[in-house]
Amino acid sequence: MVVGISLSAPAQAQDKSDFAGRWTINRELSQFPPEIGFGLSWTSARGSGVDSTGGGGGRRRSGSAGGAGVFTGRPESEDDVKRVQQLTAEVRNPSAHLMIVETPAAVTFTDDQGQSRTFHPDGKEEVIQLDGVPVGLTAKREAGRLVVLYKAEQGRELRYTYSRAASPPQLLVDVQFIERGGGDGVRRIYEPASASETLAPATTAPSRATATPGAGLPAVNTSDSSKGVPASVDRISAQTFNQQPDAELKGLTKLGVVVEDLSPQAAACGLNQGTLETAVSKRLSDAGFKVIRNSDEDTYVYVNVITSSLSNGLCVSRYDAFLYTHTTARLSYQETPVLVQVSLLHKGGIGGGSAAAHAAEVLRSVQEYVDQFATRIRDANK
């Protein structure tokens, strides 16, 4: 997805940060070197004759054991190895499509697999999870660019720099592998996506349901229902149901609020269940909803936060906000309708930081999710 940009921004780059939109990679203009990544692991250098002075972007070199160039660094942990592998894989196989949502406080990227990642460009360290491994990073804006610096392991970092070109309109994504003796770099160029291009179904067709038979299914083009439509959809495509976007949100005026009990680790990191519940309730009330606290009888917002502490004292939390409802549905493998719980909306993320600032960060993220829910519901009722 990215590349390290030189200190002098492209002449055509815009001064103002504006990355929002849907983008498609231009493979002809982008760089795809056959081999890119960090150099040979320092811990593997013992007896390998690796030239520790670098050169050639940290490329692998052969030589006799015990040569003067051998560097024997600290042992890599299993998490270090996984972080390096995951970050390198993302560079070697960038997403063909990106959807970017930008606010003054956060920038969210969604790839063509429906996976989202949110950065807060305030220069403060935060922690995300990559394939179950915590990764520290910082994000900041610099002269119209967004710079994201991942910490792969000691002495190794990966810098993503996002910038805009005005004519023609392009999103420039530069990635730089930073390590002892230099590192590889590559540039990817994205262009505005056409109206016919879409991201993965995970982001464009979330599972939904209402009391109307057939709700929650992708919109079916009845003029050509034989192409790419699952049989279960085709069988009921003739039934009447509202196929408008977010139709299941229309008519919502009253919402319950449920915040899951927090763990002792969460409390130690400054999180408080009552504070979260009050903040969510106020956000919904300010948006015009009648709020019923501690109620999951009908349609309600459910917040769950799972927190742990790292050995270095950082607090890491996974936080999720759901909009749930209940309905009866006739399942394809049963004859009698059953009562089911339905997730109408969901937003979630992972963040980390010092105990002093972590609770405020989680609260801010949850409030942002609730605001997005309120906006979606309000737009559906226009």
Side-chain angles (χ1 to χ4, degrees), residues 17 50 58 100 119 126 134 149 167 170 190-191 337 343-344 360 379:
S17 170
V50 176
I100 304 177
F119 305 109
E126 51 186 326
L149 188 66
S167 181
Q170 293 174 334
Y190 287 79
E191 298 176 336
S343 175
L344 299 176
D379 290 346

Side-chain angles (χ1 to χ4, degrees), residues 87-121:
L87 290 170
T88 303
E90 289 185 354
V91 178
R92 292 177 178 175
N93 300 287
S95 176
H97 303 279
L98 289 176
M99 182 170 67
I100 304 177
V101 177
E102 184 176 13
T103 68
V107 184
T108 299
F109 291 76
T110 302
D111 63 19
D112 49 15
Q113 300 301 314
Q115 301 297 316
S116 295
R117 192 173 299 171
T118 299
F119 305 109
H120 300 94

